[in-house]
Amino acid sequence: MAADEEHDTNMGDNDEQPAVEDRRVNIRVRGKAFIPSHSVTRSITKIWKARFTGCWDTWSSVPRAERNIWYDAFKIKYKWDARIEGDVKSVFNTVGSRSFRNFMSKARKKPPTEKPEFMHDEAWQTLCRRWRLPAFIAKSNKGKKAREANKRLHTGGSASNVDHSMQLAEELKREPTAAEIFERTHKGKNKMFVNDEARETWEQYIEYHGADDSLDITSGKISNTHKRWIGHVGSKNGSYYGSGSGVDKYLFQRDTDDEPSVNNSHEDLDRFEDRLNQQEVEQGLMRDEFDTLRNAQEDQSRKLAQVLEAQASYEQNLKKIVYEEVTKVVAQEVGKVVSQEVSKATRQILKAISGKKV
């Protein structure tokens, strides 16, 4: 009996617990975007909004410890190949920064009374005061002019070039060339290019490189077409005509599911630039505060000078009034005395005349 009980106990010890099903969504990284793109971007936006506790208006101004908490929340919902951990975190910051920037850009246009639901009152009011400072407004206008100067039309909508590339790959049953993606994102429903610049850019490329692209399509060397496209349109700050918002500027590098990245220098430069921009804003705030204090001091000095001047004028007027009043009183008193003396002398004269007659 004891042996049976021991046997039962041993069997219980060897029972395996059922594995917990991992329901996290599997994602991949391609260039500077996630696949799938839209759903992951929305999730990142929800994550930072749900945990927004400071007075931050740029991704780089959020403390690293706080961003790590956001990243941990991201890992609860998504999973990926452990070999691309560095790439995932880099793209998480890139996508999060763009989401953060887009939201704050729209928030700055709202009146102070329209506070976002996820923000605390103090944080919102602090941001509103910061956005009204002359230094911030000047920097914002400068950036706006620069963006307008480099703005180009496209028909890609809110979908990234990653999304368009994947759609074309499904349609063509192969990876699309750079020219094919450009044509997809710069032609309207009427099959016409959005403007002459887009049409001329595409036609010139096809004229000079169309045959080379055909050979690369046949051989499967699609990456060569993107290198030629970059050479044709030129690159500016890592971005080239046809790359959309710029987040896909590394779109046509390798798929990081195949090989993990060991070089995040561009991401480091982006973060460094963000920090520099934040420092410029903070310095601008300090300059504005100093100018405000200086202007207030100068205003007080002007008011004090006006008060002293008014006081001196008042004293001068007062002296004049006192002098005039005293003069009147003296004149009146003197007049009385003179009048009395004249009357007295007159009576004496009349009396003397009267005595002589008698």
Side-chain angles (χ1 to χ4, degrees):
M1 185 68 177
D4 291 341
E5 291 179 354
E6 182 178 357
H7 178 70
D8 292 342
T9 302
N10 290 336
M11 288 183 63
D13 292 340
N14 292 331
D15 286 345
E16 294 183 359
Q17 296 293 329
V20 178
E21 182 182 359
D22 188 349
R23 297 185 177 182
R24 292 180 298 169
V25 178
N26 189 55
I27 59 174
R28 294 182 295 141
V29 169
R30 188 172 187 180
K32 287 296 177 181
F34 286 117
I35 301 175
S37 177
H38 279 309
S39 60
V40 179
T41 299
R42 286 194 297 269
S43 294
I44 293 175
T45 301
K46 290 180 180 179
I47 287 172
W48 68 256
K49 282 185 177 181
R51 296 162 178 80
F52 190 93
T53 58
C55 302
W56 314 307
D57 59 350
T58 64
W59 187 262
S60 60
S61 65
V62 180
R64 184 179 298 273
E66 192 71 27
R67 278 183 281 155
N68 287 339
I69 293 175
W70 297 352
Y71 185 62
D72 289 339
F74 180 73
K75 290 192 289 187
I76 293 175
K77 186 170 183 178
Y78 297 98
K79 62 181 179 180
W80 49 84
D81 190 323
R83 296 176 301 165
I84 63 170
E85 174 69 25
D87 293 299
V88 170
K89 191 164 188 178
S90 174
V91 176
F92 172 83
N93 283 306
T94 298
V95 175
S97 178
R98 186 177 74 252
S99 165
F100 211 87
R101 182 173 58 251
N102 290 343
F103 178 86
M104 292 300 172
S105 177
K106 295 177 182 178
R108 287 197 297 269
K109 300 175 183 178
K110 296 182 178 180
T113 54
E114 295 185 14
K115 180 186 74 67
E117 293 183 359
F118 66 90
M119 276 195 198
H120 297 298
D121 290 336
E122 183 179 354
W124 173 245
Q125 294 303 324
T126 299
L127 290 175
C128 288
R129 288 194 296 270
R130 181 183 302 169
W131 295 334
R132 290 195 298 266
L133 290 172
F136 187 92
I137 294 174
K139 184 176 180 62
S140 178
N141 290 338
K142 182 178 180 181
K144 183 178 180 180
K145 290 180 180 178
R147 289 190 297 272
E148 289 295 331
N150 296 316
K151 189 174 183 180
R152 281 164 163 165
L153 297 175
H154 64 87
T155 60
S158 59
S160 69
N161 274 21
V162 170
D163 296 321
H164 288 293
S165 176
M166 294 176 64
Q167 292 171 3
L168 273 173
E170 291 180 2
E171 296 172 9
L172 300 173
K173 307 302 180 184
R174 60 168 174 80
E175 286 295 315
T177 67
E180 289 170 335
I181 297 175
F182 182 86
E183 184 179 14
R184 166 64 67 90
T185 57
H186 290 78
K187 274 187 175 181
K189 295 181 179 180
N190 58 1
K191 305 300 180 181
M192 301 290 290
F193 280 100
V194 291
N195 55 24
D196 290 339
E197 181 187 21
R199 177 181 55 77
E200 292 173 0
T201 299
W202 185 82
E203 289 178 349
Q204 290 173 4
Y205 179 84
I206 295 301
E207 179 182 355
Y208 290 108
H209 305 292
D212 294 328
D213 276 13
S214 297
L215 291 175
D216 285 328
I217 290 173
T218 302
S219 62
K221 297 179 180 179
I222 300 298
S223 61
N224 290 341
T225 70
H226 300 294
K227 294 176 183 178
R228 275 194 295 273
W229 181 265
I230 294 174
H232 177 70
V233 301
S235 175
K236 183 177 181 181
N237 298 326
S239 180
Y240 54 93
Y241 188 22
S243 68
S245 64
V247 69
D248 303 320
K249 57 187 175 182
Y250 304 101
L251 170 65
F252 305 118
Q253 295 178 359
R254 52 155 180 78
D255 190 318
T256 51
D257 265 358
D258 300 328
E259 179 185 356
S261 171
V262 295
N263 185 3
N264 288 326
S265 60
H266 289 287
E267 178 66 21
D268 293 336
L269 287 175
D270 289 341
R271 287 197 296 267
F272 180 69
E273 184 178 358
D274 284 342
R275 285 196 296 270
L276 285 180
N277 291 336
Q278 182 65 20
Q279 289 177 359
E280 288 181 6
V281 171
E282 291 175 353
Q283 291 174 359
L285 294 176
M286 292 177 64
R287 284 194 299 269
D288 287 334
E289 290 178 0
F290 175 78
D291 290 340
T292 300
L293 291 173
R294 184 181 60 187
N295 292 336
Q297 184 178 7
E298 292 177 352
D299 187 52
Q300 290 294 330
S301 297
R302 285 193 298 269
K303 289 182 178 179
L304 179 60
Q306 292 173 357
V307 169
L308 293 175
E309 183 180 355
Q311 183 177 358
S313 176
Y314 172 76
E315 290 177 353
Q316 186 68 25
N317 291 334
L318 181 60
K319 289 179 181 179
K320 182 179 179 181
I321 292 172
V322 170
Y323 175 79
E324 291 177 350
E325 291 299 322
V326 169
T327 301
K328 290 179 181 179
V329 171
V330 170
Q332 291 175 357
E333 293 300 322
V334 171
K336 290 180 181 180
V337 172
V338 170
S339 178
Q340 290 174 358
E341 291 297 327
V342 170
S343 297
K344 183 179 179 181
T346 301
R347 287 195 300 271
Q348 289 177 350
I349 292 172
L350 291 173
K351 185 179 181 179
I353 293 173
S354 298
K356 289 181 178 180
K357 286 182 178 181
V358 175

